[in-house]
Structures are given as structure tokens and as C-alpha cells.
Amino acid sequence: MKWGVVRFPGSLDDGDAIWALADVMGQEAFILWHKEESIRGAECVLLPGGFSYGDYLRTGAIARFSPIMKSVAKFAADGGLVIGICNGFQILCEAHLLPGALTRNRTLSFICERVHVRVENASTPFTRAAHNGDVLRLPIKHGEGLYVAPEDELRQMEERGQVVLRYVDASGRESDDANLNGSTRAIAGVANERFNVFGLMPHPEHAVEPMLGGTDGLKIFQSIAQGPR
Amino acid sequence: MQVKVFVTPRKGILDPQGRAIEGSLASLGFKNASNVKVGRYITLEIAAASAQQARDEARRMCEQLLANPVIEDFRFEVEGE
Amino acid sequence: MQVKVFVTPRKGILDPQGRAIEGSLASLGFKNASNVKVGRYITLEIAAASAQQARDEARRMCEQLLANPVIEDFRFEVEGE
Amino acid sequence: MKEQPVALPGEPKVDLEQARGHGLAPDEYAKIEKLLGRTPTFTELGVFSVMWSEHCSYKSSRLHLKKLPSKSPLVVQGPGENAGAIDVGDGWAAVFKIESHNHPSFVEPYQGAATGVGGILRDIFTMGARPIANMDSLKFGSFDHPRTRYLLGGVVGGIGGYGNCVGVPTVAGEVMFDPAYNGNILVNAFCLGLVRKDEMMSARARGPGNPVIYVGSATGRDGIHGASLLASAEFGKESDAKRPTVQVGDPFTEKLLIEACLEAGKTGAIVAIQDMGAAGLTSSSSEMAARGGLGIELDLDRIPLREAGLTPYEILLSESQERMLIVGERGREAELMAVFEKWDLHAVAIGTITEDRRWRARWHGQTVADIPVGALADEAPLYDRPAAPRKPLPTSHPPQDGRVKEGVTPSAGLRALLDSPNVASKKWVYRQYDSMVQSNTIEGPGGDAAVMRIKHSIRGIALKVDSNPRACALDPYLGAVATVCEAARNVACVGARPVGITNCLNYGNPERPEVMWDFVRGVEGLRDAANAFGAPVVSGNVSFYNETEGRGIMPTPTIAVLGSMADFSKHVGQFFRNPGDAIAILRTARPSLAASEYAATFGVDGGALSPIDLAKEAALVDALVGGVEDGLIQSAHDVSEGGLAVAIAEACFNPAGNFGAEIDSARLGGTDAAGLFGEGPSTVVLSLRDVDVARVEKLFAGRGFEFSVVGRVTREARLKVSSVFDEDVNELVRIYREAIPRRLKGGD
Ligand SMILES: Nc1ncnc2c1ncn2[C@@H]1O[C@H](COP(=O)(O)OP(=O)(O)O)[C@@H](O)[C@H]1O
Ligand SMILES: [Mg+2]
């Protein structure tokens, strides 16, 4: 599968995404410069982590207007696969390609830690290689990962299975302590209604090598590599 | 024209910052402070022919960039009104 | 009593946020916006006997917590004045 | 052409008083007039005052820093450029340096610490190296001091806020709390970068006629006289008045600068490059010219300004952040400009390199400064300040209320130490730092030293920063030696050979003979230890005047050691791994309570430091690395704050699941307070497979240090030292983890 990794000014985990996809997994992955108009035949667009435009004003608020985002939106509208990790998730929310928004962690501080997330819906193109209830160990590293959305919308999202990942403890149980950033309903990752756009705060690209915190992140990328359903 | 924009957290949306400040205020002895909300205060100059035009521009700026409707409300004042 | 606090970057202090927003506004076609400054807008309730007392408390809150005197200025309004 | 610079309308008159006001001594002012053959203009006076300040000229320290060893077969770049560089194999050079931002961080903790990180990053990518890891060494006052929590929160927030936003992982560091820092905190920031040996960039101007290009943020009034006044004078009542506009960092622009400058470097059109750090445009331009033995002419009208109405004086002395000065190759300006445009950065040609060895600034069509380049650099004052020994400073403090006194039981002692902020887990700090970005972090914060891999290679780099001010307070020489030994040992514990050192020397007012003595002895200690480990000192920084109203800090040489690994996959961590493994200790001498956390916590007199045998220290480090490389060692943990008992406990605190230990107290050689909680000289706690014990014994035999098996690792999470204590490890972990968060919640 061909992966296009968008590089915004202030993107930081773009190189890590390329490393995970190309060097570790042997996939074809290339950088899409934010000023480009085309996604150049990418079959999955990845919006990486970082502090695009310094995350000034609101995280992802300014990056959303980069030229490349027009074609990303179009690609998504046509059913193309788009994944946003951390800052990428924030950008997708700001661009209204995903519901909700991400705000200041309840600790009001940046949190860098390996956490556990439970796969709530393994039938999406992003989680297919896992099973419902699987617990993945992935790192989070963000200051604004507290997921919020209007209650009624949350209810619908749950019904439709759009809540794809939830923070849990190592044994897979929900607990307040496991929900470090204080996200509503411990939400760590969500998909759109069509299940072709996915955003998550944890970093799968930082969990692809045994010596660097395990390989659970591969599950996400392997799912996507199976292509759109 | 000078424009002042006030962006505030939507009702019902968590405002951890506001709660934290409330806590610190209490611990500083300001026990009688409550209902603290933290928002953004943005000031800018708009080169506009009329206050009306400035208002229209300001509104579009807020809708498109300065506020996120999912979590924030906005309000603005065009100076001299 | 309702108190509104406006915290703004001090004159001469770098305001990267303001600059970033200005750039973004320009690229969105709002070419006539300039001098964008970003501060905080804090609202709170103070249970005070008099507006005077509320004002005194508000000032001390700003000095001690709400604003960072080294890089920020503050101003506040007590509702009903 | 040499022309008389003009005094500008409304400029203050220049005389001795004015010079004094600029922190220049009378004889220094006389020297300036002699060098110029006339009275300087107000602008020139400002320029001299910053270039001749302690911070920029190292006038009190230069003489002594010369003593430091800076050569080895692995040195690619010694002192003299913006950072030093060491060959770490496969054609890669590790570029690294540490720098202080103490005074600004005390004034505004968040921005002070943030801009400290920004400054050290620029020193590294200026060399053409991509920054791959940061470290931070922090000293705060005691937790009970009213400002400590505020300063701690601000500084840690600022370091994270900046480092996280530029995509450089913060992988190690240290934090200490002691009343000696109540009025002067220390914030020392380290950065490590990687560059192909043959692609390193330089800050030596070449080629008269070459354009001088300004890149980055516009110039404002930030931090004018930050160097001369803040970093080169004591804090006093009036320092508030003198306080310059605080510098605010813009990490987003810094990230763009990193990418743009590295990309521009690849064009080959950059002749020289330097960041505008302390004394901004003045120092960067004059230093690049001086290194190249050339002159430079600046057109101040072309400098991008943030606000209107800056005077030449302000433009030249501004310390606005995120600005770089580049000497480009004439005729290839467009290539460079294109790169900066791609990254939305503002770049302008603001001057030219000249033959005539003069530093000249023009403004509104007139010359406002015209100074021989040499006068600013080489001619700067050099002092051999008087030094006189002093009595050891007190390192322990009367026990605070509620604290156990002397005669405490071992169990209570262990718990009290694990609860001490200096020993306890620093996770509250480092979890606010991104330690993973760039995917090179094999061992992040939480181990003895960080381990970074080099991609597409099996080679690795280990790094750790340490300091031991209490030891330095007892003996400035031995303290410095002990600090180097600890950092080297930390690096060896993960299996890396110490190959290079950088240092930040934090002291009080050098005009006091006893402070100067501390400094000189500290440098000599660093020199001797560096020689013993064969690890040259390739870069560093000096921070004097860490005093407030006459009260100075403890002498604090902060030492960062860089280790090289032939194969990073062989590294080991500090935690026990397998039940049944033998627990052994390596030791060069019996520990003592001198300068120990135990002595400080319980207010007991720890006595004098024991001597350090550097030959043994080097042998221990060498043997330890050999053992790890041969795969004979399961875990290694350096004994530091809290002593042996704490180190063994820490080795049990495996995040993947706690272990226990059964220690035979008879084999410890003393279970008195000194035996259990004494610190230094060197001790290392190892765990080995039973089958390997004999081989390790052989490997270590006759190297001059002690090797003894003292117990074994148990699955049951209890820490048992026969007839001394028997503790529940899970409970110890709780104390260790909660100590700092509890105090921040306002616990006590
Ligand atoms: N300011 C800091 N930033 C990042 N990591 C830190 C900081 N302070 C301490 N650490 C980490 O916490 C651990 C304990 O620090 P320290 O007590 O200095 O170790 P040691 O006693 O082995 O020298 C180390 O892994 C260190 O890197
Ligand atoms: Mg230490």
C-alpha cells in the first residue's frame, strides 16, 4: 500500500511514521508537503503528530487550512483512508473530518507515558488485524488530548461503533487512573460515520520495534495495509 | 478599526483550566471566588470602510478560525460602538 | 459579583500566537487584519459585600495568580460598573 | 574605509560613569579608549560592555579552562566552535554542549528555561548536526521555600514546552532540592546532535565580499543587557530595576530554523553560521569575523524589526530569540533564500565580510560603530583573580520538624530517604517531556543513563548529566572528581565507554577569593578525572555570580558524560530481571556519610570526603563495560543519593513488575548508617546469572576494586537485609513514587 505522510510546518512525528512504515514494515511511504495540492496517488493519508504551526491558537486550528488539506478532505469524501495521530487527530477534528475536539489534559500538563487502550470496534479498516477487547500498549505524548463532544453526539457515536479505542488499565478494565488525560468516556480514538477516517491520541508509530516499547502499534498499520474494505 | 474578540468555553464543556484556577485561588485564601471560566481575548486591527464591514469580517474570522464551535462560543466588539 | 479579567501580553514582549494567527488570517484572505494580540479572558464570581471589595479582591487575584507581571498586563471589570 | 562614528542625537554622553553603569571597570574603560584611540560612541560602549562581560568574554575563567584536556583520537571538534564533537563511529560525529540559563529562569521560570533549551539547540544545529537528544540539570531551593513549587512547575513546563515542540526528545537529567538554591536556582540545558563527520558546519567567516544573511525572528527589545547585567552580576535589590525585557521563546520558529538551516547546509552555499545568542547580533557577527581573521560590515537599516524605533544600540544588543546569522557564498544567495522561503522564514542580506578586520555598523547612512574586530574578541580583559581556600561549607541542615533524628532505625532511614525529593522518583518531572520522538530512544529517563541508537547502524550513544554540590561544598576538588566519576559510572552501567565530556561550571561571585578557589579547584578536579577516563572535555559553559544579596550557591560543576557503544542491543538497565539471579556489588572503597543525602536529611555531620583513587575508578568503569559487552551482566545500577540500600531498592522497582532481594548483611561489610546509606566513592549494584558468577569474578579479579556477591533476586517483592530490615517493596515503591507529587499537592 502507498502511504502519504503529510509534513506540516511543526510536524514532528512525520519522520517516525515514515520509519515505521517504510523501514520497519517495508511499505511504500512518502512525504506530502503541506503546500502541495495533490496527495500523489497515496492510498492512505497519514497526518502525523507534532505541533503544527506551534499549535498556536488551538491545536490543529491553523494546519487545517494548509493547501494539502483540501485534497485530503476530497480524498476522504471519496472514501479514501485517512489516519490522524495525535496532532493529526486534532487537525482532523478541527477540519470537521472527525467529530468532537481535543482540549487541555485534565492535569494541565504534557504527559509522555506508555498506556493501554482497548479495541472497542475491530471491524474498522484501522483495527481489523485486532479483535474486540484486545488491549494494546501504546505511548501517549501530548498536552491536549482530552476528548470532548456533545453528549447526544457521543451517544450516537457509541451506538454506531465510532468509539474505536478507549483508555483502560493493563488488564483491560476501565478506571479513572487509566484515563490519564481525562477524556470523556475515556475515548482514545474515534472514526467517522463512514469508518474511512480515524484519529487517535496514542502513537502506534512509536510501538513498532521490541527495543522501543513493543510492537502493538503494528496492529493498526497492518489493519490499514489490508486496504479499504 | 479595533476589534476585541472574546472566546469562551461552551456550557457543559469541561474547563480543567478554570477548575484548576478555582482551586489555586481557594488555596491562596480567595475562598469566595467561584465559577471561574478561562477563555481567550484576542484584539486586532481591521482596516475597514465601515463598522458594519468590520463586524462582518470579524464574524467570519471567528467562525472560520478564532473559535471552535464544538467547544467554544465567541463574541466580539468593534471599537466605537 | 461577576468579574471579568483581561490578561494581555506586555508591550514589547514577543507574542508568537498573535503572529501565527495574523499569518493564518492573511492566508485565509483577511488581508486587512493586523496587529493581532492574544491574551486570556477570565470570568469569575466573587461573593463580595461591595463592588469596592470585589475590586480589591480581583486586583489581588490578578497580581498573585491570574496574570504573570513579568510578561503580562491585566485589566478587570466588576459587573454593574 | 575607516571613518569616525557619529554620536546620535539624544544619546547619553559617554564617560567613566556611563561605563560603570554598563558594568565596565575603570581600567577596562581606559583600555577601550586606548584600543579605539578615542572615546567610544554610546553604541560602541554598549557593544564593548556585552562583549567584555563575564558571560561573553570568560575573563575570569579563560585562564583556568585552558587546563582542561581537549584532545583524543576521537575528538572531531574541540572547544572554540559553538559545540564540541566526538567520533562515535560509522562516520558519525556526536556534537554536544551544556549551557546555563540560571538567572533568566529565576526571573521568569517558564520562559527562562524554555529559551535556555532554545539556545543550546541552536549551538548544536549551528554545527550542521541534527539535535537528537536533550538533558536538563536542575537545582531548586528546599521544597518548603515559598517560591520552589512555582519555580519547579515553571522550569519543567518551559523545558517541556520548548523541547516537545521542536521534536527533540528529553532523555535524561537530574533534579536536586537544597536550601542553598533558595535564592538562585540552576537550570543547565544539554543538547546532543548527530552529523556526518565530513558535513560539519563552522562559525569561521571566510571570503571577503561574501554576504552576511540574517534568518529568523524579527528583532525586538528582548533581553538587552541580558548577558552583561543578568548573567554577569549578582542579584540584588536593584536587579528588578535593571531587569531587561524578558525573552519569550518561539519553539515553532526554532523548529523551522532547524529544518531550514540543515537543508541550507546541504546546498554547500553556507560558509559560516552562528546563532545570535547572548549579545545577539554583536557577538555572532564579531565572533565569526574574528575566527576568520576578517572584518564585517553591518547595515542596521536592513535588520527586520518587531517594533519601530529601535536604536542602533538596541538592535546590536537585542537578545531576541530564534535568530541565526549566516555567511553565504557570494553569488549563491538565491539558493539559500529559496530554502528559507520554503520554510516560511524571513531571510535578508544585512552586510558583507570585509578584509580590513574591522567590525563596522552603519545606520541611516552613517557609521555608528567602527571597532577593530580583535578588540572585541582577543583583546577582551583576562583576569587571574585571587583565590583563597575556605572552610568546608555546611551540607546538612538542622532536621526539620517531624523528621527523624540520628539513631534512626535502618527501616525508618530507608523510608525517609525514599521519600526525600532528592532520592525519590523524578517521574513527575520527566513524564512532562517527550522522550520518544525521532524513534532513537532505547533507554529514556528512569535508568542510570539514556541510550540512543544510531539508525542504520548498530552503534549507540549513552548520556547522563550529574552534579554533586554537597561534595563540592566539602571539597571543591574532590567534589568535581566525584561528579565526573558518577556521570562516567552512570554511562558505564548501561554498557557504554565514556568518550567525551561537556560541563557547566556554576559558581558564585568570582571576585570573592574563596569562590575563585572553589572554581579553580573544581576545574582541576574535572581535569584530573577527565584524564583518568581518557574522556576529553570538548565543550562547556561557565556561570558565575549565582549569588543573591551576598549568599552564594554551593559550588556546582555540572558534568555531562557521553558514552559510545559498539552495539546498542547489548545495553542493560538498572532493574533486576530474573528471580534467582545473584546480586553483587562492585566497589572502589567503603562508602561514607560525607555529603550524603542521609546526612542532609537527618542533620548529622557526615565528616570529610574520603580520597578517590582515579585509577581504580577507571578500572571499575572499564571492567563494567567489558562485562556488559560480554553479556555477563543482567542489570547494573550506580549507587548515588541514598546509598547502597536505596540503590538495591531501586533495582527492585522494575516497572514491568517489582522484584525482591535477599541480602546477606554479613557480606556488605558494615550495616551501620554509612554502610547502608553512605555515598561514594564508587559502588555499583549488579545482578548476574548464577552460571556467570565465576566468569565475572575472573573478569574482575585483580583490577583493584572489590567484587562480592551479597545476595539474590527474589520473585517475592520483599527487600530483606538479614537482621537489618525486611520491607514490602510495593510499599517502598509507593513512597518513592509519591514523594514529589505529594509535596506538590501541598502535602507538606
Ligand atoms: N530533570 C530531569 N529531566 C529528565 N530526566 C530526569 C531529570 N531528573 C532526573 N531524571 C531521570 O531520573 C533518573 C534518576 O536521576 P538521578 O537521581 O540523577 O539518577 P542517578 O542517581 O543514577 O544519577 C535518571 O534516569 C534521570 O535521567
Ligand atoms: Mg545523580
Side-chain angles (χ1 to χ4, degrees):
Chain A
M1 149 162 283
K2 285 209 210 124
W3 302 72
V5 176
V6 178
R7 175 172 292 156
F8 298 98
S11 290
L12 303 179
D13 300 284
D14 46 345
D16 306 82
I18 295 279
W19 173 262
L21 295 167
D23 297 83
V24 177
M25 294 180 69
Q27 301 269 312
E28 178 181 353
F30 49 87
I31 290 287
L32 292 169
W33 184 239
H34 68 111
K35 290 176 185 172
E36 290 183 59
E37 305 265 329
S38 146
I39 61 168
R40 290 193 274 120
E43 295 159 288
C44 175
V45 172
L46 185 151
L47 305 191
F51 286 73
S52 56
Y53 291 91
D55 275 354
Y56 293 134
L57 185 60
R58 287 182 316 276
T59 59
I62 298 179
R64 161 201 170 190
F65 294 106
S66 301
I68 190 82
M69 285 305 289
K70 283 199 187 60
S71 25
V72 172
K74 169 138 194 349
F75 179 66
D78 298 344
L81 294 180
V82 178
I83 177 174
I85 300 168
C86 197
N87 192 229
F89 185 12
Q90 295 161 336
I91 295 169
L92 289 173
C93 289
E94 280 284 341
H96 310 305
L97 292 172
L98 286 174
L102 293 141
T103 64
R104 229 39 209 277
N105 295 349
R106 66 175 167 188
T107 58
L108 297 182
S109 63
F110 189 95
I111 303 175
C112 176
E113 255 195 71
R114 294 207 161 76
V115 300
H116 297 89
V117 293
R118 190 177 62 209
V119 177
E120 305 290 71
N121 179 351
S123 65
T124 78
F126 308 95
T127 47
R128 225 183 276 172
H131 302 89
N132 285 348
D134 280 1
V135 174
L136 308 180
R137 187 159 175 270
L138 304 172
I140 57 167
K141 44 191 196 82
H142 60 251
E144 308 200 7
L146 190 162
Y147 185 80
V148 294
E151 254 315 310
D152 45 351
E153 181 149 29
L154 284 166
R155 222 173 296 109
Q156 292 172 355
M157 288 168 63
E158 299 269 15
E159 284 160 12
R160 301 194 199 102
Q162 287 174 256
V163 175
V164 178
L165 298 175
R166 221 184 287 273
Y167 298 108
V168 292
D169 64 22
S171 65
R173 252 177 274 102
E174 279 176 63
S175 83
D176 188 60
D177 292 350
N179 183 7
L180 294 181
N181 59 26
S183 287
T184 327
R185 302 184 179 216
I187 290 173
V190 304
N192 63 345
E193 274 186 62
R194 280 178 67 180
F195 292 99
N196 66 313
V197 179
F198 175 51
L200 73 170
M201 286 316 290
H203 288 263
E205 81 280 21
H206 283 287
V208 295
E209 296 171 278
M211 274 218 196
L212 286 93
T215 58
D216 287 3
L218 291 173
K219 277 257 188 327
I220 304 286
F221 298 129
Q222 283 159 351
S223 302
I224 301 172
Q226 294 175 24
R229 45 147 76 94
Chain B
M1 244 160 259
Q2 241 254 331
V3 179
K4 296 176 178 159
V5 178
F6 307 83
V7 180
T8 48
R10 269 246 165 120
K11 279 192 85 240
I13 292 290
L14 298 171
D15 176 18
Q17 225 176 331
R19 291 218 316 297
I21 290 181
E22 217 164 294
S24 328
L25 282 175
S27 68
L28 282 173
F30 298 103
K31 301 261 182 287
N32 50 355
S34 64
N35 196 16
V36 180
K37 291 207 168 31
V38 183
R40 238 179 251 100
Y41 174 54
I42 305 167
T43 60
L44 62 156
E45 294 288 334
I46 298 184
S50 68
Q52 183 53 46
Q53 189 202 339
R55 261 199 306 283
D56 297 346
E57 295 235 341
R59 169 169 315 289
R60 285 191 288 115
M61 290 180 188
C62 290
E63 286 165 350
Q64 287 181 44
L65 178 71
L66 300 181
N68 176 349
V70 181
I71 48 172
E72 299 169 326
D73 297 320
F74 66 83
R75 172 170 79 69
F76 58 85
E77 296 165 4
V78 173
E79 145 241 20
E81 304 190 302
Chain C
M1 242 159 257
Q2 242 254 332
V3 179
K4 297 174 178 163
V5 179
F6 308 82
V7 181
T8 48
R10 270 204 168 175
K11 199 177 160 308
I13 292 269
L14 176 67
D15 175 19
Q17 281 216 73
R19 279 184 26 251
I21 294 173
E22 209 164 299
S24 178
L25 284 172
S27 64
L28 284 174
F30 298 105
K31 301 257 183 287
N32 49 357
S34 65
N35 196 14
V36 180
K37 290 208 164 24
V38 184
R40 286 194 303 289
Y41 174 57
I42 305 163
T43 59
L44 63 158
E45 293 288 334
I46 299 184
S50 70
Q52 183 52 45
Q53 189 203 337
R55 263 198 306 284
D56 298 345
E57 294 236 339
R59 169 169 314 288
R60 283 190 290 116
M61 290 179 187
C62 291
E63 288 165 348
Q64 290 178 43
L65 181 73
L66 302 181
N68 176 351
V70 186
I71 51 176
E72 296 172 326
D73 294 324
F74 66 84
R75 180 169 71 70
F76 59 84
E77 295 165 3
V78 173
E79 145 239 31
E81 301 193 299
Chain D
M1 108 256 51
K2 179 170 186 306
E3 53 177 276
Q4 197 71 321
V6 298
L8 300 168
E11 251 179 6
K13 179 164 170 306
V14 175
D15 56 16
L16 184 56
E17 260 331 285
Q18 190 56 254
R20 272 222 187 78
H22 277 70
L24 287 160
D27 52 334
E28 292 176 336
Y29 179 63
K31 185 171 179 184
I32 292 171
E33 287 196 312
K34 188 159 154 299
L35 283 165
L36 291 176
R38 57 176 167 82
T39 302
T41 64
F42 184 68
T43 305
E44 290 171 329
L45 183 70
V47 165
F48 272 102
S49 75
V50 288
M51 290 306 291
W52 285 15
S53 68
E54 188 64 59
H55 188 78
C56 293
S57 72
Y58 287 77
K59 55 190 168 191
S60 307
S61 56
R62 247 162 50 228
L63 208 62
H64 303 283
L65 296 176
K66 285 209 200 77
K67 303 174 190 164
L68 296 173
S70 60
K71 293 193 174 41
S72 93
L74 294 179
V75 173
V76 179
Q77 175 63 58
E81 283 279 350
N82 283 288
I86 292 278
D87 186 333
V88 288
D90 288 353
W92 291 102
V95 179
F96 58 102
K97 182 172 194 275
I98 187 168
E99 207 162 64
S100 71
H101 226 216
N102 304 338
H103 299 78
S105 302
F106 189 77
V107 172
E108 208 315 279
Y110 186 99
Q111 294 299 340
T115 50
V117 173
I120 194 64
L121 280 161
R122 288 191 291 281
D123 277 337
I124 299 309
F125 71 75
T126 283
M127 304 283 296
R130 172 169 294 277
I132 64 160
N134 286 342
M135 297 196 286
D136 58 324
S137 169
L138 312 177
K139 301 279 178 293
F140 297 98
S142 70
F143 243 107
D144 345 290
H145 188 274
R147 278 197 91 204
T148 296
R149 289 173 202 187
Y150 164 72
L151 291 168
L152 173 64
V155 165
V156 170
I159 290 169
Y162 206 100
N164 299 344
C165 189
V166 293
V168 178
T170 303
V171 298
E174 60 163 0
V175 194
M176 179 188 186
F177 303 87
D178 188 285
Y181 301 98
N182 282 352
N184 296 80
I185 62 172
L186 300 185
V187 174
N188 294 177
F190 167 103
C191 181
L192 164 69
L194 270 185
V195 60
R196 300 300 297 170
K197 267 193 311 185
D198 51 8
E199 290 177 7
M200 203 146 70
M201 294 202 275
S202 140
R204 173 178 292 99
R206 282 188 282 102
N210 277 334
V212 177
I213 300 167
Y214 172 119
V215 189
S217 299
T219 296
R221 291 196 167 85
D222 324 44
I224 289 172
H225 279 306
S228 54
L229 294 184
L230 266 189
S232 305
E234 298 180 30
F235 273 164
K237 294 251 175 325
E238 82 294 358
S239 71
D240 285 32
K242 283 183 182 171
R243 183 176 295 164
T245 322
V246 170
Q247 304 149 312
V248 169
D250 177 4
F252 171 60
T253 298
E254 180 99 338
K255 168 65 176 173
L256 300 183
L257 278 173
I258 294 174
E259 299 304 329
C261 290
L262 293 180
E263 193 172 321
K266 299 254 182 281
T267 66
I270 290 182
V271 170
I273 175 170
Q274 177 162 336
D275 66 297
M276 298 190 221
L281 182 58
T282 294
S283 59
S284 50
S285 57
S286 59
E287 284 172 17
M288 283 202 287
R291 287 198 195 89
L294 292 164
I296 193 166
E297 174 157 327
L298 304 170
D299 178 355
L300 303 185
D301 298 309
R302 313 202 50 171
I303 307 287
L305 299 182
R306 199 162 78 222
E307 49 193 310
L310 266 72
T311 63
Y313 181 100
E314 291 171 316
I315 293 171
L316 285 165
L317 270 55
S318 163
E319 294 187 5
S320 291
Q321 299 291 296
E322 292 91 26
R323 303 179 303 161
M324 305 292 290
L325 198 64
I326 292 175
V327 177
E329 195 177 317
R330 182 194 212 154
R332 298 184 64 184
E333 294 84 349
E335 277 174 79
L336 293 174
M337 296 300 181
V339 174
F340 295 119
E341 196 157 310
K342 168 184 169 190
W343 290 98
D344 305 320
L345 285 167
H346 197 44
V348 255
I350 60 156
T352 9
I353 296 300
T354 60
E355 299 263 12
D356 65 2
R357 288 168 164 258
R358 297 194 72 85
W359 183 86
R360 196 179 293 111
R362 302 182 56 80
W363 185 72
H364 291 13
Q366 37 191 345
T367 300
V368 293
D370 187 345
I371 304 170
V373 165
L376 295 176
D378 332 341
E379 293 293 335
L382 179 60
Y383 296 128
D384 185 0
R385 298 202 184 270
R390 52 150 177 84
K391 287 207 183 50
L393 303 168
T395 64
S396 68
H397 314 279
Q400 274 140 17
D401 45 297
R403 284 223 185 118
V404 246
K405 306 265 188 311
E406 210 172 342
V408 54
T409 67
S411 168
L414 176 63
R415 286 152 182 269
L417 285 171
L418 289 172
D419 185 54
S420 153
N422 291 336
V423 173
S425 167
K426 309 301 190 299
K427 187 169 177 181
W428 180 87
V429 172
Y430 61 72
R431 105 165 179 166
Q432 297 186 51
Y433 303 154
D434 181 344
S435 53
M436 305 172 185
V437 64
Q438 292 188 35
S439 302
N440 298 320
T441 312
I442 302 293
E443 273 280 342
D448 274 11
V451 178
M452 310 301 293
R453 73 157 161 210
I454 299 176
K455 289 206 180 88
H456 310 291
S457 162
I458 62 168
R459 301 198 135 267
I461 302 173
L463 51 154
K464 181 66 169 82
V465 60
D466 278 300
S467 58
N468 194 338
R470 286 170 182 157
C472 295
L474 290 178
D475 181 327
Y477 173 85
L478 278 179
V481 170
T483 307
V484 177
C485 290
E486 180 181 356
R489 218 159 49 235
N490 277 321
V491 156
C493 278
V494 300
R497 264 177 217 292
V499 289
I501 294 176
T502 184
N503 68 102
C504 187
L505 305 173
N506 307 274
Y507 290 83
N509 179 347
E511 294 153 49
R512 299 178 205 275
E514 66 278 11
V515 169
M516 203 56 208
W517 170 264
D518 288 342
F519 176 76
V520 174
R521 292 299 287 156
V523 169
E524 289 166 357
L526 170 54
R527 171 198 63 200
D528 296 347
N531 281 323
F533 292 107
V537 179
V538 293
S539 60
N541 170 249
V542 176
S543 170
F544 279 128
Y545 298 98
N546 292 286
E547 298 200 5
T548 298
E549 282 147 32
R551 275 198 82 261
I553 58 167
M554 292 188 276
T556 312
T558 304
I559 307 296
V561 167
L562 190 89
S564 181
M565 307 172 94
D567 178 354
F568 66 78
S569 68
K570 291 227 166 75
H571 83 281
V572 298
Q574 74 178 43
F575 303 111
F576 296 144
R577 286 157 65 186
N578 329 296
D581 279 1
I583 298 172
I585 56 176
L586 291 183
R587 194 152 62 178
T588 56
R590 288 254 172 288
S592 88
L593 289 181
S596 66
E597 183 64 25
Y598 182 92
T601 304
F602 297 116
V604 308
D605 176 2
L609 293 175
S610 17
I612 297 176
D613 180 336
L614 277 169
K616 283 188 188 177
E617 297 295 324
L620 181 145
V621 159
D622 180 69
L624 181 54
V625 174
V628 174
E629 284 175 340
D630 296 352
L632 297 171
I633 292 173
Q634 297 297 311
S635 75
H637 183 32
D638 163 50
V639 172
S640 63
E641 296 85 353
L644 183 59
V646 163
I648 295 174
E650 286 174 336
C652 293
F653 301 166
N654 190 326
N658 293 329
F659 288 102
E662 266 173 23
I663 306 294
D664 174 357
S665 50
R667 305 212 194 152
L668 290 182
T671 56
D672 54 346
L676 292 171
F677 307 118
E679 298 175 19
S682 305
T683 307
V684 174
V685 175
L686 305 176
S687 68
L688 339 155
R689 297 226 175 250
D690 263 342
V691 295
D692 294 327
V693 171
R695 278 182 65 193
V696 171
E697 222 154 12
K698 193 126 107 302
L699 185 72
F700 292 172
R703 306 287 306 261
F705 54 82
E706 170 193 347
F707 169 80
S708 36
V709 174
V710 297
R712 57 182 61 265
V713 179
T714 62
R715 168 157 285 116
E716 186 202 17
R718 292 199 75 84
L719 175 54
K720 301 179 185 172
V721 178
S722 55
S723 72
V724 177
F725 53 60
D726 176 349
E727 305 287 324
D728 173 355
V729 170
N730 301 316
E731 199 180 323
L732 298 181
V733 174
R734 222 196 58 256
I735 298 172
Y736 182 76
R737 292 216 183 110
E738 279 309 304
I740 289 178
R742 193 190 83 236
R743 286 173 172 81
L744 288 168
K745 284 196 208 80
D748 66 298

